[in-house]
């Protein structure tokens, strides 16, 4: 397995795609996606463009859709929800499709939506991502941070480091062989420095400070938790993210493995 980290979608190579792309937007799109799917949302369909979201979602039954919109950390006017994972309760989202647009995360998902496998990751479902990678062992893996309007973000790179460090520990990869670029070393170093105090890291992050000014203290606390959800968000069709069965993925792998 060759593992690459790109801090923003703009930094990813333009003309190639990996076997497995993992999009990270800890604050807050991928945390919200994992939370919504975990409590029973039918799917999360992502858009970078608000007008396109409105056009597509209008074709969906009104009682089966929720429009989730955020710009600059605040809810888009006329939408049902902002981008807070804490709003995604079973009573609100179960059985419904979320039509989502955010400042950063949805752009990253669009960048890699043509990859063979697209997953979304946050600290809260880090372990589920690692278990999938250990089971499937794709040849090339990109972790694509969302950043903030094209700039590096602490929280996304630390999450990439959390995934990489867990894989290195579990599978015994020599780091020099595993790392596809220098960003992997930087991401692991950042995670190791802050792994016991991720909430403080999120408070230092520029977008964390932006959310605090908007009163989203509880969101930061929630987003800083590690491995609390056993949910694997996977792209089913371009732009449509569903909950994949991790145990089914593992069982299928072992059934298909050659017998010796």
């Amino acid at each position: 397995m060759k593992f690459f980290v790109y801090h923003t979608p703009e930094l990813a190579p333009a003309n190639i795609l990996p076997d497995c792309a993992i999009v990270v937007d800890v604050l807050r799109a991928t945390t919200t996606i994992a939370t919504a799917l975990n409590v029973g949302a039918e799917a999360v369909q992502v858009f970078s463009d608000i007008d396109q979201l409105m056009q597509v979602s209008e074709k969906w039954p009104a009682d089966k859709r929720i429009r989730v919109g955020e710009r600059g950390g605040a809810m888009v006017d006329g939408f049902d929800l902002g981008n807070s994972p804490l709003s995604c309760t079973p009573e609100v989202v179960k059985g419904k499709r979320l039509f989502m647009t955010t400042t950063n995360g949805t752009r990253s998902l669009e960048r890699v939506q043509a990859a063979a496998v697209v997953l979304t990751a946050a600290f809260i479902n880090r372990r589920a991502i690692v278990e999938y990678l250990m089971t499937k062992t794709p040849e090339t893996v990109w972790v694509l941070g969302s950043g903030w309007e094209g700039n590096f973000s602490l929280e996304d790179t630390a999450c990439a480091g959390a995934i990489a460090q867990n894989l290195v520990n579990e599978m015994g990869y020599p780091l020099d062989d595993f790392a596809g670029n220098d960003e992997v070393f930087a991401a692991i170093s950042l995670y190791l420095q802050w792994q016991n105090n991720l909430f403080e890291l999120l408070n230092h992050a520029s977008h964390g400070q932006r959310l605090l000014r908007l009163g989203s203290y509880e969101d930061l606390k929630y987003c800083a938790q590690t491995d609390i959800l056993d949910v694997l968000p996977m792209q089913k069709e371009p732009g449509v993210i569903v909950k994949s069965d991790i145990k089914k993925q593992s069982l299928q792998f072992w059934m298909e493995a050659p017998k010796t």
Side-chain angles (χ1 to χ4, degrees):
M1 184 186 300
K2 209 69 171 175
F3 195 94
F4 298 80
V5 172
Y6 298 104
H7 299 310
T8 69
E10 292 82 3
L11 294 173
N15 299 316
I16 60 171
L17 285 168
D19 297 306
C20 178
I22 303 168
V23 171
V24 177
D25 186 3
V26 171
L27 297 175
R28 295 164 287 173
T30 56
T31 303
T32 298
I33 289 169
T35 303
L37 294 175
N38 186 65
V39 298
E42 178 264 336
V44 181
Q45 189 165 353
V46 299
F47 302 82
S48 60
D49 182 74
I50 293 175
D51 291 336
Q52 185 185 15
L53 181 153
M54 294 300 292
Q55 182 179 4
V56 173
S57 63
E58 275 297 323
K59 301 173 184 177
W60 207 261
D63 62 341
K64 293 293 184 180
R65 73 175 181 230
I66 298 177
R67 291 168 176 150
V68 178
E70 168 268 321
R71 288 294 184 271
M75 186 171 79
V76 174
D77 288 343
F79 276 54
D80 302 303
L81 297 176
N83 190 23
S84 171
L86 299 180
S87 298
C88 295
T89 63
E91 296 78 14
V92 174
V93 306
K94 189 173 183 180
K96 298 180 181 180
R97 177 167 294 203
L98 276 62
F99 294 86
M100 171 185 275
T101 181
T102 69
T103 306
N104 303 293
T106 49
R107 291 189 308 106
S108 296
L109 281 161
E110 286 195 346
R111 165 64 185 85
V112 293
Q113 68 180 13
V117 176
V118 179
L119 309 175
T120 70
F123 286 118
I124 62 171
N125 69 322
R126 183 272 306 263
R127 184 63 195 172
I129 299 295
V130 170
E131 288 181 1
Y132 174 86
L133 295 174
M134 290 173 59
T135 298
K136 295 295 188 180
T137 59
E139 187 173 341
T140 55
V141 177
W142 291 4
V143 179
L144 191 66
S146 298
W148 177 261
E149 296 184 342
N151 294 314
F152 166 90
S153 66
L154 286 171
E155 67 276 6
D156 291 349
T157 298
C159 186
I163 296 167
Q165 178 65 19
N166 203 181
L167 277 170
V168 169
N169 284 347
E170 293 276 349
M171 301 195 76
Y173 289 124
L175 187 52
D176 284 341
D177 295 337
F178 173 72
N181 58 4
D182 287 355
E183 287 90 332
V184 177
F185 291 90
I188 289 174
S189 297
L190 180 64
Y191 170 67
L192 290 176
Q193 180 176 350
W194 292 95
Q195 61 181 321
N196 296 318
N197 205 348
L198 292 172
F199 178 59
E200 184 179 347
L201 175 67
L202 266 57
N203 275 264
H204 286 304
S206 59
H207 192 40
Q209 294 179 17
R210 189 177 295 108
L211 291 172
L212 288 173
R213 291 193 294 270
L214 292 168
S216 299
Y217 176 83
E218 294 300 325
D219 274 8
L220 259 65
K221 287 176 61 179
Y222 180 79
C223 293
Q225 298 177 96
T226 303
D227 302 337
I228 62 169
L229 298 185
D230 186 24
V231 59
L232 181 70
M234 179 181 288
Q235 182 176 256
K236 178 182 179 181
E237 58 188 82
V240 179
I241 313 299
V242 300
K243 181 181 178 181
S244 182
D245 190 323
I246 302 169
K247 294 179 176 58
K248 184 177 179 181
Q249 294 276 354
S250 299
L251 178 61
Q252 182 183 13
F253 171 79
W254 291 116
M255 289 178 67
E256 293 176 351
K259 304 298 187 292
T260 57

